[in-house]
Amino acid sequence: MRRPLDLLSKGGLGCLLALVAFALGSTVDLAGDPDAIVGPRLAPPGPEWWMGTDNLGRSMLPRVMEGVGTTLLLSCTAVLLTAAVSAAFGILAGYRGGYLNEVVLRLVEVLYSFPAIVLAVLVAAVLGPGQFAALASIVLVTIPLMTRLVRAAAVGVSQRDYVTAAVISGARLPRILGRHVLPNVAGTIAVQGTYALSVGISVEGGLSFLGFGVQPPQASLGVLIRQGGSYMIAAPWLIIGPGTVLVVAILAINVFGDGLRDRLEPRETRSLT
Amino acid sequence: MSPLLVVDRLAVDYRANGRTVRALDGADLEVAAGETVGIVGESGSGKSTLGAAIGRLLPRTARVDGGVIRVAGESLFELAPADLRRVRRERLGFVFQDPIASLDPTMRVGRQLTLVLGRGTGSGDVAAHLDRVKLDARTARSYPHELSGGMAQRVAIAMAMAGEPELLVADEPTAALDSQVREEVLDVVFSLAATTGTGIIWLSHDLAAVARRCSRVAVMYGGRVVEQGPAAEVLGRPAHPYTAALAGSAPATAARGTRLEPVPGRPPMLTGPSDGCSFAPRCAFVIDRCAHERPPAVRVGDQDVLCHRAGEPATIGQGATT
């Protein structure tokens, strides 16, 4: 029996969808042009600018909307890349074992040994600051854990009788991996994907905050917090807005991820004994 | 004509954490086309390893330490991957102990059957294969967790038999099932194999049940096949002391009021090739040479027996099964 998601993780999913809708609003300039100067500088929240204005007199609301969009899009793209790479290597290493397994595990351990933000700064230093550096950083930071867990799940699945049955029926490797192993580790990939997404959001935030990630004038949550940081005393709304959104996004994703994990894992086959 | 399956002096070691365990210590077995053979032995006697080796399905920790397996004349351990796949697809089928675990939980039954049957399979073909194992065509729409153990095992049998293999290896296919369902499942396996001319290797620890269904029986002990021959002969006139002890300890064969004789001692845990007969420490007929001389195969009646004293009158096979 599949249990439905519990209330908390449903709330998390709702929050996440609301944030996506919020971000999509900026694509149609729902709250105005994020780059337009609309009022006085550093004005507190008011009826014309619900989240206040920044040091150039731009309304914060459309900027936060754009920022969430940038951050989510960047993180989601990175997580999809991570999932693809981790699934491929994790499944192959877990199923084949031996030499390939050792190489994959050692490479992953090297990546794992770097603290996330140090690795991200390193990547930015090599690739040059920008969106691409942020994307590559998120991928490299999230690959190790996901690869390891997918590999572990694949090792378990590979020993199951249905995989052996597929082998004995003469199935080729792509079919065994694609039709039998992948669907049975998909739950692990999905759950780890949600965690990778929240890690991705914080890596983007951190890297852009340091100035190595997304570059102004394009807004992202990290960029907005960096810009607001200079006026923290005079205009705290500049960091409260994007900061709150960042916290809510990460919290919502983690809560949803927990619910997803409870539902999908551990997904043991029912045994008769 | 060469037999369908030849296992010749097969030795297999398992290595884990620096320890070596010898699972097969020179096992010999021959199965002719269409023949039904029961392999009987205690846990740890090597029968599952033998079964896995026949499909070249040994786990990574296992190492073949000598011997050959020939399936229809082709040496299994020397085959290139593509040839191995062909041999598996065309000649071999496997049925496992836990029926639910042998079906992929993420796929409907019909879809799994279609995968095994190959491209261009319609729902009619799936229904036909389900019908062969006496299952309703509607079963195709079920997920494995929705099936009972007996139904799941029939699906697994249908999948194993879908390619009409020449040899079906069934590793205790009914051990996880209720006793009522067992006979039904066995009926399905044996009647289906009879119509397709498929040979069966049935791994079990129930000597009497195996003897009822199979034409031949092979008894394994300590990684070797210590006795093989026609089922009725092996069960009725065991020539190896271990077979005799096994027959004497089986509840099904004992007449009412007779005491069951347990086999004294415990099965051996080999770490390397055994020096002599691995049953010697538990054997009631042990003599000096049993401890340091490996018994060669001897022909006694219709049976091949690995025992130094086989064939000697007034020793083995007299007391245990009367």
Side-chain angles (χ1 to χ4, degrees), chain B residues 124-159:
Chain B
D125 299 323
V126 170
H129 276 92
L130 287 175
D131 186 56
R132 294 211 303 178
V133 290
K134 305 200 167 53
L135 281 175
D136 196 278
R138 281 175 304 174
T139 316
R141 289 204 299 270
S142 307
Y143 280 100
H145 70 268
E146 297 167 338
L147 302 178
S148 71
M151 289 168 83
Q153 195 60 296
R154 288 168 195 225
V155 173
I157 291 163
M159 286 173 63

Side-chain angles (χ1 to χ4, degrees), chain A residues 95 172 179-180 184 270, chain B residues 60 85 88 104 115 145:
Chain A
Y95 181 80
R172 285 166 195 276
R179 292 289 179 83
H180 296 290
N184 281 288
R270 203 169 50 115
Chain B
R60 282 184 206 119
R85 208 167 54 236
R88 283 169 169 168
D104 191 329
L115 271 183
H145 70 268

Side-chain angles (χ1 to χ4, degrees), chain A residues 37-61:
Chain A
I37 293 168
V38 294
R41 297 193 283 156
L42 302 178
E48 287 165 83
W49 31 80
W50 294 355
M51 297 176 91
T53 62
D54 69 359
N55 57 323
L56 297 175
R58 294 175 294 194
S59 173
M60 279 302 283
L61 181 60

Side-chain angles (χ1 to χ4, degrees), chain B residues 5-9 27-31 37-39 50 54 201 216-218 225 228:
Chain B
L5 173 79
V6 178
V7 179
D8 188 19
R9 275 167 294 170
D28 298 307
L29 185 71
E30 282 192 11
V31 179
V37 179
I39 298 185
L50 181 60
I54 292 168
I201 291 183
R216 284 180 60 227
V217 170
V225 176
Q228 57 180 317

Side-chain angles (χ1 to χ4, degrees), chain A residues 166 169-172 175 179-180, chain B residues 89 109-123 125-126 129 158-159 162-164:
Chain A
S169 76
R172 285 166 195 276
R175 193 174 97 193
R179 292 289 179 83
H180 296 290
Chain B
R89 188 178 60 235
V109 163
R111 180 109 194 77
Q112 301 193 38
L113 256 171
T114 314
L115 271 183
V116 176
L117 289 167
R119 287 201 188 85
T121 322
S123 59
D125 299 323
V126 170
H129 276 92
M159 286 173 63
E164 309 216 332

Side-chain angles (χ1 to χ4, degrees), chain A residues 1 93-98 155 158-165 167-173 175 179-181 183-184 267 269-273, chain B residues 55 57 60 85 88-89 92-94 96-107 111-112 115-116 118 144-149 159 176-177:
Chain A
M1 276 300 288
Y95 181 80
R96 293 300 284 269
V155 167
S158 302
Q159 290 161 351
R160 294 282 169 81
D161 287 344
Y162 54 81
V163 172
T164 312
V167 170
I168 209 73
S169 76
R172 285 166 195 276
L173 189 65
R175 193 174 97 193
R179 292 289 179 83
H180 296 290
V181 183
N184 281 288
R267 202 174 57 180
T269 36
R270 203 169 50 115
S271 163
L272 285 166
T273 44
Chain B
L57 295 169
R60 282 184 206 119
R85 208 167 54 236
R88 283 169 169 168
R89 188 178 60 235
L92 297 173
F94 271 71
F96 303 99
Q97 187 167 349
D98 182 351
I100 304 281
S102 57
L103 302 177
D104 191 329
T106 60
M107 255 186 266
R111 180 109 194 77
Q112 301 193 38
L115 271 183
V116 176
H145 70 268
E146 297 167 338
L147 302 178
S148 71
M159 286 173 63
L177 301 178

